[in-house]
């Protein structure tokens, strides 16, 4: 009798294990903003360009994105990254970033987190490395085990001083700029950029996003503006030039100064003649972390097809630091009602 119970239990455990998928992940944070890189057990996205692979990820493996990023394994704040064998042989890795709302075209804090993660795994030496993303190749220079300089894709201001009516507030003017994602950058907003005010800031920035959508205001080619940036004075003008609050597409705010957002800011500063090529801009986040940014004017080779003829495009470089916070194995059990996250 006792034997039978043990036998049945063992069989049950065995059958149970058959229905489990395991994903190895390494977590890090860049200026407070978390990144989770899948380093083992990820699906093979198959052949094709980085954009085709991202489309395949979205169409066939979205459950993996949801399992990794959504509760109960993840959170709205987390950005995930799936590594793939790069198409461009000059690159050390291909990466597709994703979050609670879907996919990010590029992610600056995530690229810094990726470089530090690969260094932690002893797969990336100090020095310059090319990394493939769906919007182009970026360069990550590992300066030491925590500090990374990212040379981003070409960035530019698409439209200046665009007015949008914000419910309960009135008109707000902002610039639309590309920094690897589409941003709406607002300096005159009347909000206090204080960490204690994050709920109000989130609510305000969401209403800007709603207004943009309602009025059909987009980036070039109808690109959805899914990041909102509010700028204000730094907490200490000795250590930073500006402080920002960045609302991400899934409704969470970026704890870091946002790499693609800082790139968009650099493009606007360049367009306004407020920053010269090679000059440093220190962007402080709402939690007080800092990215150092600078730009060079883009050469024709740096421009992607949608940017042809864009004379004021810049190539931004962002320096930031990341720390590995954990190594773990996620278990996706078929019998778990929340195997694919709480949607
Ligand atoms: O650092 O580029 C960035 C980023 C985008 C969304 C969250 N962080």
């Amino acid at each position: 009798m006792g034997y039978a119970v043990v036998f049945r239990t063992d069989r049950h455990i065995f059958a149970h294990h058959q229905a489990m998928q395991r994903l190895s992940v390494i977590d890090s944070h860049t200026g407070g903003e978390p990144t989770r890189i899948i380093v083992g057990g990820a699906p093979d996205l198959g052949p094709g360009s980085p954009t085709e692979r991202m489309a395949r990820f979205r169409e066939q493996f979205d459950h993996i994105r949801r399992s990794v990023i959504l509760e109960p394994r993840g959170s709205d704040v987390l950005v995930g990254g799936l590594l793939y064998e790069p198409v461009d042989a000059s690159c050390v890795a291909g990466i597709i970033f994703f979050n609670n709302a879907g996919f990010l075209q590029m992610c600056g804090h995530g690229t810094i987190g990726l470089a530090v993660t690969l260094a932690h795994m002893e797969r990336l030496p100090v020095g310059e490395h090319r990394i493939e993303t769906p919007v182009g190749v970026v360069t990550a220079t590992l300066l030491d085990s925590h500090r990374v300089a990212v040379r981003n894709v070409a960035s530019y201001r698409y439209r200046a001083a665009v007015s949008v009516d914000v419910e309960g507030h009135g008109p707000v003017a902002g610039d639309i700029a590309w920094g690897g994602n589409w941003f709406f950058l607002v300096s005159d907003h009347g909000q206090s950029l204080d960490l204690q005010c994050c709920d109000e800031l989130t609510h305000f920035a969401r209403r800007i996003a709603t207004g943009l959508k309602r009025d059909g205001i987009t980036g070039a080619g109808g690109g959805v503006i899914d990041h909102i940036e509010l700028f204000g004075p730094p907490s200490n003008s000795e250590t930073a030039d500006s402080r920002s609050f960045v609302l991400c597409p899934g409704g969470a705010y970026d704890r870091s100064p946002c790499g693609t957002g800082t790139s968009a800011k650099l493009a606007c500063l360049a367009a306004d003649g407020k920053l010269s090529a090679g000059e440093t801009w220190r962007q402080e986040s709402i939690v007080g972390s800092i990215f150092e940014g600078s730009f060079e004017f883009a050469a024709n080779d740096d421009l992607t097809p949608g940017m042809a003829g864009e004379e004021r495009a810049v190539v931004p470089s962002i320096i930031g630091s990341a720390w590995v916070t954990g190594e773990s194995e996620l278990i996706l059990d078929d019998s778990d009602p929340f195997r694919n996250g709480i949607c």
Side-chain angles (χ1 to χ4, degrees):
M1 178 74 171
Y3 177 78
V5 169
V6 170
F7 180 71
R8 270 206 301 274
T9 306
D10 282 348
R11 272 176 52 138
H12 175 70
I13 289 168
F14 180 70
H16 193 64
H17 276 247
Q18 290 290 294
M20 275 184 190
Q21 185 175 356
R22 289 168 185 265
L23 296 172
S24 305
V25 298
I26 296 190
D27 289 349
S28 61
H29 80 84
T30 308
E33 179 76 352
T35 307
R36 172 171 286 174
I37 304 292
I38 307 176
V39 296
D44 178 0
L45 299 178
S49 68
T51 340
E52 286 165 343
R53 291 177 199 215
M54 184 162 80
R56 203 168 294 126
F57 190 179
R58 180 184 283 119
E59 283 151 22
Q60 295 178 18
F61 302 107
D62 197 51
H63 58 282
I64 296 290
R65 176 188 68 78
R66 286 183 275 124
S67 307
V68 169
I69 232 58
L70 300 182
E71 293 178 15
R73 294 173 201 82
S75 82
D76 287 358
V77 188
L78 197 54
V79 168
L82 182 137
L83 285 167
Y84 68 86
E85 190 73 33
V87 181
D88 180 337
S90 70
C91 294
V92 292
I95 185 88
I96 296 173
F97 290 111
F98 51 91
N99 65 9
N100 56 335
F103 293 85
L104 287 164
Q105 316 228 44
M106 171 43 201
C107 182
H109 94 265
T111 305
I112 295 169
L114 167 66
V116 166
T117 295
L118 293 176
H120 172 80
M121 296 171 80
E122 299 184 350
R123 280 171 55 183
L124 201 76
V126 164
E128 196 175 300
H129 309 280
R130 283 163 62 81
I131 294 172
E132 190 174 86
T133 79
V135 287
V137 172
V138 300
T139 304
T141 305
L142 186 67
L143 302 169
D144 60 36
S145 38
H146 299 293
R147 229 164 114 78
V148 179
V150 176
R151 186 181 188 272
N152 195 7
V153 292
S155 304
Y156 69 106
R157 180 165 71 187
Y158 172 56
R159 287 173 67 192
V162 175
S163 180
V164 61
D165 199 52
V166 177
E167 196 199 320
H169 180 89
V172 163
D175 290 356
I176 301 172
W178 169 257
N181 293 298
W182 282 108
F183 289 84
F184 192 69
L185 301 90
V186 183
S187 294
D188 188 7
H189 42 66
Q191 308 294 310
S192 164
L193 297 193
D194 189 316
L195 188 56
Q196 311 313 317
C197 304
C198 272
D199 287 350
E200 292 94 314
L201 291 167
T202 300
H203 187 51
F204 180 69
R206 278 186 181 171
R207 281 181 290 144
I208 295 181
T210 304
L212 294 172
K213 195 171 168 195
R214 179 199 59 224
D215 295 349
I217 299 171
T218 67
V224 176
I225 304 170
D226 53 7
H227 292 75
I228 310 295
E229 286 189 290
L230 308 177
F231 291 92
S235 58
N236 177 351
S237 57
E238 303 271 305
T239 54
D241 298 296
S242 157
R243 182 175 175 88
S244 60
F245 172 87
V246 184
L247 182 72
C248 297
Y253 66 89
D254 197 331
R255 275 63 173 163
S256 84
C258 191
T260 50
T262 302
S263 298
K265 175 70 176 174
L266 291 168
C268 294
L269 289 165
D272 286 334
K274 290 184 175 164
L275 191 74
S276 310
E279 216 180 314
T280 299
W281 179 263
R282 297 156 306 166
Q283 187 63 54
E284 180 186 18
S285 75
I286 194 72
V287 307
S289 51
I290 292 175
F291 283 171
E292 281 171 38
S294 60
F295 72 84
E296 58 196 74
F297 285 104
N300 275 343
D301 285 359
D302 295 313
L303 303 181
T304 51
M307 277 183 221
E310 192 49 64
E311 283 163 14
R312 289 159 310 164
V314 299
V315 178
S317 291
I318 308 292
I319 300 179
S321 297
W323 283 265
V324 166
T325 53
E327 293 179 336
S328 53
E329 198 165 57
L330 304 181
I331 295 176
L332 318 184
D333 186 326
D334 277 354
S335 70
D336 177 355
F338 296 115
R339 180 196 194 279
N340 294 339
I342 303 173
C343 300

